[in-house]
Amino acid sequence: MISVGIDAGSATTKAVLVDSKVMVVSKNIIACAICPTGFDFIAAAQKAYEDVIEKAGIEKKDVDNVYSTGYGRNSIEFADKAISEITAHARGVYYLYPDVKGIIDIGGQDSKVISVNNGKVSDFLMNDKCAAGTGKFLEYTARALEVPIDELGSLALAATKPANITSMCTVFAESEVISLRTRGLAKEDIAAGLIESIARRVAVMSRQIGLKENIAFVGGVAKNDGIRKALEKELKLSLFVPQKPQMTGALGAALHDIR
Amino acid sequence: MHCFKTIEDIKSSYTRRIRQIADERIAGKKVVGTFCLFVPDEIIFAAGADRVILCGGKNDTIAIAEQYLPRNICPLVKSSFGSIVNDGSSEIRSCSHFSMVDMVVAENTCDSKKKMYELLEEYVPTYVIDLPQRPDSPEALQYFLQELEKFKSAMEKLTGNKVTSERLQQEIRSSNEIRQLFHKLYELRKKDPVPITGLDVLKILQKQYFLSPHAVKEYLNTLITEAEQIIPDGKHKPRIMITGCPMSGGNTKVPDIIESRGGIIVAEESCTGTRSFLDLVEENKDPMLALARRYIRIPCSCMSPNDRRTDIILDLANDFNVDGVVYYTLQFCHGYNIEKNKVQQALKKAGIPMLFIETDYSESDIEQIGLRVDAFMEMLS
């Protein structure tokens, strides 16, 4: 059985294609694709879907099921079923890491912590209503530092004395960054301060639902080493980061009907 | 789900009730506005007055209130205040009943309400009942009894009518009838599948303190008869209990999300829920003492300690065979937001999953809440 999972996120749309026959012998997923979401959710989903089929070297008619997840999940009409990204991440990470007990997902517009028991969600917490502790927080504050967001993490690793960023509000944190700059603080130290502030926020959420061990870190922000290290320091444990951490939602959706 | 004729009637009851109140006032009857379950209807009706609830559930009038009140207090307080002080100079309209009361009967519950009432006094005569907030001591009961006696005198003064024991007994019996009808309605919600949605039940709960007791009884009777005849379809849906802040008229946001995403609400432990009817008032006793005893036990989060609430939540979860609890709070409602922790611990211990939703009256977070509700439903299935 061939299934495609599409994760229509706020920043990027991801697609993963799996074949249940192949999975019996190997953990390999057949193909994956990613494209920016932009304004048109549906067009992005179409594109990711077509890309993943092309990469797999098959045709649309060969696909048995399409499952959607992510913020745009309910508007993707060619999907057979929509699944929340919380359930999808749990399923996807469980496939890659069967011992998983907890998941931290920092996405573009929210962050989530999920407690997992045998691949099933047993509790979760989301930060929303505000950009504190999300990818957007990093995007805004990186801009104030005039650093590309991808480099924020490596820049932070070079810090000698991380600054203390106290504002949870993204807009105010940006002004806090500017005032730290005028006080002459090193870019590296400010970057480290920003990353520590987001790590603290997310660590509080993980403690709230009792995550203790075997925690995976997923979502686009997980690619950022500096943040992973700051989180590990804050949580006092090492995190499992999948090779393509932004893909676990789409993977979980693709695996929806495969046990 | 079944379309109830009674619910359709309730939806169109607003203008009829407004006309009724207008006629009453022309005939010299006094009408008071209330905000809270701690204010005994029985005393108001025994004094020959009528009452309407003034708790605001509309988002629009919040903008008016924010000219006077801080932004970071709960939307219920702001919406209510905005609806009352609205002078019509903006495009925003208040519902008619907010300007049809001779006196507001307020109560000292949470800080936001207490301080808001102080400002309200400038716009409408406001009588405040004080509440002891450590409800389990005998001294508290005595104090509350005195407060109710004072309130009784205030009602007598407003209406010119004497509140006799006989009238109080009558009104206690009448209010108990409504409470018993709610018990009967909720009994039907214990069925699986449930014959009636939470949204439909909320429609009558929200109007319980707006409509006349006579109308509420009639609606409850016909609704129960209708619901008894329904054979609901066979699919099991996750059975949800809501607990937390009240959902005032106009505010159905979270139940809407829950029931449009596969859940079914079977009970509400809140002021728009079981708290209005769970306990009856003892009949054929000293009526004022009986009222004080019953009303002081309302498990509002302004009370401390408030462990009774947790016990009730656990009992209801068991009685209504609840799959999961949605803990609903309004932004900046410190009492319920803080009490969440205790309730969560107790539910965890009992093995009942809980989803926490903190929100306001705006529509900005419908999708975010929807995601969490989706995930919660998937978790429960």
Side-chain angles (χ1 to χ4, degrees):
Chain A
M1 189 171 68
I2 293 176
S3 297
V4 174
I6 298 172
D7 179 357
S10 63
T12 56
T13 298
K14 287 80 68 175
V16 167
L17 188 143
V18 298
D19 183 343
S20 60
K21 279 187 219 141
V22 177
M23 295 191 131
V24 181
V25 288
S26 126
K27 283 237 153 181
N28 287 344
I29 53 180
I30 303 291
C32 60
I34 183 163
C35 64
T37 297
F39 184 75
D40 192 344
F41 265 91
I42 298 155
Q46 280 285 3
K47 184 169 186 319
Y49 183 46
E50 280 156 19
D51 285 358
V52 82
I53 286 174
E54 199 192 312
K55 280 190 188 173
I58 60 165
E59 284 174 59
K60 264 188 192 170
K61 64 173 172 48
D62 302 323
V63 177
D64 295 296
N65 295 306
V66 180
Y67 298 109
S68 60
T69 187
Y71 269 96
R73 67 192 179 284
N74 291 320
S75 24
I76 302 171
E77 276 174 6
F78 61 91
D80 299 295
K81 195 179 172 191
I83 301 148
S84 79
E85 47 266 46
I86 293 164
T87 306
H89 275 300
R91 181 69 187 98
V93 175
Y94 178 64
Y95 180 71
L96 301 171
Y97 178 37
D99 290 333
V100 66
K101 290 268 183 285
I103 297 169
I104 294 173
D105 165 30
I106 303 184
Q109 64 176 26
D110 60 43
S111 46
K112 317 175 186 73
V113 292
I114 310 166
S115 165
V116 189
N117 189 11
N118 285 326
K120 282 207 73 178
V121 177
S122 57
D123 200 1
F124 64 91
L125 206 62
M126 269 179 74
N127 147 292
D128 53 21
K129 274 242 144 188
C130 151
T134 70
K136 266 281 170 290
F137 178 88
L138 291 172
E139 213 176 292
Y140 267 77
T141 47
R143 204 176 59 189
L145 276 182
E146 291 179 323
V147 178
I149 182 158
D150 309 335
E151 289 167 29
L152 196 67
S154 45
L155 187 68
L157 292 174
T160 49
K161 225 178 109 200
N164 189 18
I165 311 275
T166 47
S167 184
M168 280 291 164
C169 169
T170 302
V171 177
F172 290 155
E174 198 179 343
S175 6
E176 203 173 343
V177 166
I178 293 164
S179 73
L180 289 172
R181 264 170 55 191
T182 57
R183 271 166 43 197
L185 264 75
K187 227 176 204 184
E188 294 78 12
D189 292 342
I190 302 177
L194 286 168
I195 279 170
E196 277 178 16
S197 100
I198 198 169
R200 265 199 306 273
R201 178 78 206 112
V202 175
V204 166
M205 286 169 59
S206 344
R207 280 187 216 109
Q208 266 178 291
I209 61 162
L211 301 190
K212 281 191 202 83
E213 49 184 1
N214 298 9
I215 305 174
F217 182 26
V218 302
V221 176
K223 286 189 291 184
N224 199 311
D225 255 1
I227 296 184
R228 178 180 55 81
K229 286 196 175 132
L231 258 175
E232 288 179 333
K233 198 176 129 205
E234 197 63 44
L235 291 166
K236 301 187 179 63
L237 45 81
S238 61
L239 296 167
F240 169 81
V241 180
Q243 242 175 9
K244 291 191 168 112
Q246 72 276 35
M247 288 293 181
T248 51
L251 173 63
L255 293 170
H256 180 67
D257 262 352
I258 300 169
R259 288 292 142 209
Chain B
M1 267 321 230
H2 182 82
C3 179
F4 288 90
K5 197 189 158 289
T6 311
I7 300 299
E8 293 308 307
D9 287 349
I10 292 172
K11 282 184 197 163
S12 63
S13 63
Y14 187 82
T15 26
R16 284 197 298 277
R17 174 63 167 155
I18 291 297
R19 246 179 264 134
Q20 184 185 19
I21 295 168
D23 290 345
E24 284 174 353
R25 295 186 82 202
I26 292 166
K29 195 167 184 164
K30 297 293 178 189
V31 177
V32 298
T34 59
F35 286 92
C36 181
L37 295 190
F38 279 110
V39 178
D41 260 2
E42 289 90 338
I43 297 175
I44 299 169
F45 294 135
D50 202 346
R51 61 91 189 91
V52 285
I53 192 146
L54 300 183
C55 283
K58 259 172 77 161
N59 196 40
D60 313 8
T61 54
I62 287 177
I64 299 172
E66 284 177 352
Q67 297 169 38
Y68 311 87
L69 298 170
R71 207 192 55 78
N72 54 349
I73 59 171
C74 100
L76 191 156
V77 170
K78 283 189 289 189
S79 172
S80 311
F81 188 82
S83 286
I84 297 169
V85 306
N86 188 1
D87 61 4
S89 62
S90 67
E91 294 285 298
I92 304 163
R93 280 199 51 217
S94 301
C95 294
S96 315
H97 65 284
F98 284 96
S99 55
M100 297 176 81
V101 299
D102 298 289
M103 183 171 87
V104 161
V105 182
E107 76 307 313
N108 281 341
T109 44
C110 64
D111 287 350
S112 306
K113 274 171 126 192
K114 265 197 291 212
K115 302 313 278 186
M116 180 267 276
Y117 295 143
E118 291 175 11
L119 303 188
L120 200 58
E121 176 66 42
E122 246 182 70
Y123 302 86
V124 54
T126 303
Y127 182 88
V128 182
I129 301 175
D130 193 27
L131 279 184
Q133 304 206 332
R134 195 168 276 274
D136 293 331
S137 67
E139 294 81 5
L141 181 67
Q142 277 315 308
Y143 180 72
F144 187 49
L145 180 60
Q146 282 169 28
E147 280 295 305
L148 290 187
E149 292 284 358
K150 278 198 266 176
F151 169 52
K152 188 179 83 175
S153 309
M155 284 308 298
E156 287 173 335
K157 201 174 142 209
L158 178 77
T159 59
N161 300 326
K162 183 100 186 85
V163 176
T164 63
S165 272
E166 288 69 40
R167 284 291 294 119
L168 279 172
Q169 294 286 10
Q170 255 174 19
E171 291 303 334
I172 288 173
R173 277 195 295 277
S174 164
S175 293
N176 275 348
E177 273 171 40
I178 294 180
R179 294 184 182 112
Q180 277 158 334
L181 286 171
F182 270 113
H183 273 281
K184 211 168 158 188
L185 177 67
Y186 271 60
E187 223 24 68
L188 297 171
R189 303 176 83 188
K190 290 182 180 170
K191 290 187 187 172
D192 190 11
V194 200
I196 186 165
T197 62
L199 269 170
D200 278 346
V201 176
L202 187 62
K203 289 271 164 359
I204 191 159
L205 286 164
Q206 288 181 333
K207 289 241 165 77
Q208 187 186 356
Y209 294 97
F210 170 70
L211 296 169
S212 72
H214 177 76
V216 173
K217 266 180 237 178
E218 234 166 55
Y219 286 134
L220 278 168
N221 271 316
T222 58
L223 186 62
I224 291 165
T225 313
E226 275 189 87
E228 276 171 344
Q229 284 159 1
I230 288 168
I231 302 154
D233 64 84
K235 219 175 115 223
H236 174 85
K237 291 176 172 177
R239 297 169 64 85
I240 304 299
M241 170 163 75
I242 291 186
T243 183
C245 291
M247 291 177 189
S248 309
N251 171 23
T252 55
K253 178 165 135 182
V254 170
D256 257 325
I257 297 174
I258 294 173
E259 293 196 332
S260 67
R261 290 173 189 250
I264 181 92
I265 299 160
V266 296
E268 309 79 6
E269 191 287 313
S270 80
C271 290
T272 39
T274 52
R275 278 183 216 162
S276 70
F277 65 83
L278 212 55
D279 292 341
L280 273 60
V281 181
E282 276 189 290
E283 295 176 16
N284 308 316
K285 291 269 165 67
D286 171 3
M288 289 304 283
L289 185 61
L291 287 170
R293 274 189 212 283
R294 189 269 177 197
Y295 279 84
I296 204 173
R297 282 165 60 83
I298 295 169
C300 172
S301 74
C302 71
M303 294 295 179
S304 173
N306 192 30
D307 297 334
R308 225 173 88 75
R309 176 171 171 233
T310 315
D311 297 342
I312 292 172
I313 291 172
L314 291 176
D315 285 349
L316 290 171
N318 188 41
D319 293 349
F320 287 82
N321 209 5
V322 162
D323 295 310
V325 171
V326 171
Y327 195 107
Y328 166 86
T329 66
L330 292 169
Q331 251 183 345
F332 311 112
C333 175
H334 304 318
Y336 286 104
N337 276 320
I338 297 172
E339 216 164 82
K340 179 204 88 185
N341 197 294
K342 277 200 162 187
V343 173
Q344 190 164 33
Q345 302 292 341
L347 286 170
K348 201 168 202 171
K349 227 173 167 182
I352 303 163
M354 186 189 106
L355 174 68
F356 173 51
I357 295 175
E358 182 187 7
T359 186
D360 56 16
Y361 290 172
S362 76
E363 294 190 351
S364 64
D365 57 357
I366 286 182
E367 271 310 308
Q368 282 108 316
I369 295 174
L371 166 63
R372 288 187 285 171
V373 169
D374 277 347
F376 193 56
M377 294 306 154
E378 287 161 358
M379 199 176 120
L380 299 178
S381 328

